C-alpha cells in the first residue's frame, strides 16, 4: 500500500541520513532528491551514500510480503503479550518482507439498535473503549498507529496510557480528534467493519489472539506464530532472505482468551 511504501521510504531515508550524517558536503554535490539516491550507483556515489544504498538493495524485497493479520481485543492478556513481544518486534526487524493488519474486536458482540451498533466486550466496557481508541488510531494514522498501539498495550493500564502514548509519537495530533471518532458515528461504523471482518473468518475464530497468515488460519500456523512469528515469517518469505533472518526471537509463553 501507499502507506506501507511511505513508511519504508522514511525508514530508508532516516537510515541513510543517519549513516551519512546528512553533511553539507552531500547536499552541495548531490543534485537529486533523497527518494532517488539509491536509483543507481552513479547517483548514490554522487550523493555520498553508495555503501548504504548497496546494503539496502541487498535486502530489497523481491517477492510478495508475508501478510499477518491479528484479530484481538485490547485488554486480553494473551493478545497484549503477542502484540508486544512478538508482532511489533518482528515487524520492526522484517518490515521489508512483512505486512500487518490489526483488527481490534476479538470476542466482542454487537447488536443493531436502530442503525447504531451497540458493542459488548469480553473484558467489559473498558475493553470496548480500548478497542475503539485503537480502531480510530488505525483509521487516522494508518501504519503509523502501530507504535502508539504498542505503547498502549505495553503499559500497565492500556486506557490511561492511550493519550500519553499518542503525545509521545504524534504531539501535534489532538486527543480530542481521536475521541470525536471514538464517540461519534465514524468510530461506530469502523467498529462494525471490524465485527463484520472478524465474523467472516473461516474457520470462525475460537479464541484470541487469532492469527491469519496470507489470509489463512490453521492450528499449525497459529502454533508456529505463537512460538516464533519471526521464524515463521522468515520461513514463508519466498524471496531472498534479509540478513535479519539469520537471527531470531525467543519463544514466548502462550496465552489465549477463549471465545
Amino acid at each position: 500500500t501507499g502507506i506501507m511504501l511511505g513508511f519504508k521510504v522514511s525508514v530508508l531515508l532516516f537510515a541513510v541520513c543517519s549513516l551519512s550524517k546528512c553533511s553539507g558536503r552531500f547536499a552541495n554535490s548531490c543534485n537529486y532528491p533523497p527518494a532517488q539516491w539509491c536509483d543507481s550507483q552513479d547517483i548514490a556515489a554522487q550523493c555520498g551514500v553508495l555503501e548504504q544504498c548497496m546494503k539496502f538493495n541487498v535486502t530489497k524485497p523481491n517477492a510478495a510480503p508475508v501478510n499477518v493479520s491479528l484479530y484481538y481485543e485490547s485488554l486480553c492478556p494473551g493478545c497484549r503479550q503477542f502484540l508486544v513481544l512478538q508482532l511489533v518486534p518482528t515487524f520492526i526487524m522484517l518490515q521489508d518482507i512483512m505486512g500487518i493488519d490489526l483488527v481490534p474486536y476479538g470476542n466482542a458482540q454487537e447488536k443493531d439498535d436502530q442503525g447504531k451498533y451497540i458493542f459488548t466486550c469480553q473484558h467489559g466496557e473498558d475493553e470496548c473503549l480500548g478497542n475503539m481508541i485503537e480502531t480510530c488510531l488505525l483509521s487516522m494514522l494508518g501504519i503509523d498507529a502501530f507504535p502508539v498501539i504498542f505503547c498502549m498495550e505495553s503499559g500497565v493500564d492500556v486506557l490511561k496510557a492511550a493519550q500519553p502514548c499518542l503525545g509521545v509519537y504524534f504531539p501535534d495530533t489532538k486527543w480530542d480528534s481521536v475521541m470525536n471518532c471514538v464517540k461519534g458515528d465514524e468510530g461506530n461504523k469502523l467498529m462494525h467493519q471490524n465485527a463484520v471482518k472478524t465474523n467472516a473468518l473461516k474457520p470462525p475464530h475460537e479464541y484470541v489472539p487469532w492469527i491469519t497468515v496470507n489470509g489463512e488460519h490453521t492450528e499449525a500456523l497459529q502454533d508456529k506464530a505463537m512460538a516464533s512469528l519471526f521464524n515463521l515469517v522468515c520461513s514463508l518469505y519466498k524471496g531472498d532472505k534479509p540478513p535479519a533472518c539469520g537471527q531470531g526471537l525467543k519463544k514466548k509463553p502462550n496465552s489465549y482468551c477463549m471465545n
Side-chain angles (χ1 to χ4, degrees):
T1 67
I3 294 174
M4 177 68 76
L5 178 60
F7 181 83
K8 291 179 179 177
V9 169
S10 298
V11 170
L12 168 63
L13 296 183
F14 175 80
V16 169
C17 192
S18 298
L19 290 167
S20 69
K21 302 188 185 302
C22 292
S23 71
R25 175 172 62 86
F26 296 148
N28 292 335
S29 62
C30 180
N31 297 318
Y32 299 90
Q36 296 178 13
W37 284 355
C38 292
D39 281 0
S40 73
Q41 289 189 2
D42 288 342
I43 295 175
Q46 182 177 337
C47 295
V49 292
L50 180 59
E51 180 182 355
Q52 289 77 32
C53 287
M54 290 178 66
K55 290 180 179 179
F56 174 75
N57 285 330
V58 167
T59 60
K60 218 170 185 178
N62 55 5
V66 178
N67 292 308
V68 177
S69 296
L70 175 63
Y71 295 80
Y72 73 106
E73 49 199 32
S74 61
L75 299 188
C76 165
C79 300
R80 298 177 65 187
Q81 181 183 62
F82 179 76
L83 190 151
V84 170
L85 298 182
Q86 294 252 29
L87 185 64
V88 173
T90 296
F91 182 66
I92 289 172
M93 297 181 72
L94 301 178
Q95 59 190 288
D96 285 335
I97 66 168
M98 179 183 179
I100 293 181
D101 184 27
L102 298 180
V103 186
Y105 184 77
N107 297 331
Q109 302 290 326
E110 74 166 359
K111 65 177 181 179
D112 189 344
D113 183 14
Q114 298 180 342
K116 185 177 179 67
Y117 296 97
I118 307 297
F119 301 99
T120 305
C121 297
Q122 184 172 17
H123 299 94
E125 292 182 4
D126 282 352
E127 180 164 81
C128 283
L129 178 57
N131 290 348
M132 189 71 80
I133 290 172
E134 293 182 6
T135 294
C136 286
L137 288 171
L138 288 164
S139 176
M140 294 170 62
L141 302 174
I143 193 174
D144 290 333
F146 291 174
V148 183
I149 292 173
F150 172 86
C151 178
M152 290 173 58
E153 295 293 339
S154 60
V156 174
D157 187 312
V158 173
L159 294 183
K160 287 182 179 179
Q163 186 173 356
C165 286
L166 179 67
V168 167
Y169 291 99
F170 298 97
D172 294 332
T173 300
K174 301 298 184 184
W175 180 247
D176 286 347
S177 65
V178 178
M179 293 311 295
N180 286 339
C181 170
V182 167
K183 297 178 180 179
D185 291 340
E186 181 184 5
N188 195 257
K189 291 175 182 177
L190 289 169
M191 188 58 64
H192 171 63
Q193 292 173 11
N194 286 355
V196 171
K197 193 170 183 178
T198 302
N199 292 333
L201 283 167
K202 294 182 180 179
H205 84 284
E206 300 172 6
Y207 48 78
V208 288
W210 187 264
I211 302 158
T212 68
V213 181
N214 294 328
E216 179 183 8
H217 175 92
T218 66
E219 286 302 308
L221 282 173
Q222 178 84 21
D223 290 345
K224 289 178 181 178
M226 294 295 288
S228 176
L229 179 66
F230 183 94
N231 289 340
L232 178 61
V233 171
C234 284
S235 69
L236 291 177
Y237 182 63
K238 299 184 183 303
D240 297 332
K241 311 293 185 187
C245 282
Q247 306 172 25
L249 297 176
K250 293 181 179 180
K251 180 176 179 178
K252 306 298 181 184
N254 296 343
S255 175
Y256 292 98
C257 289
M258 305 307 294
N259 187 6

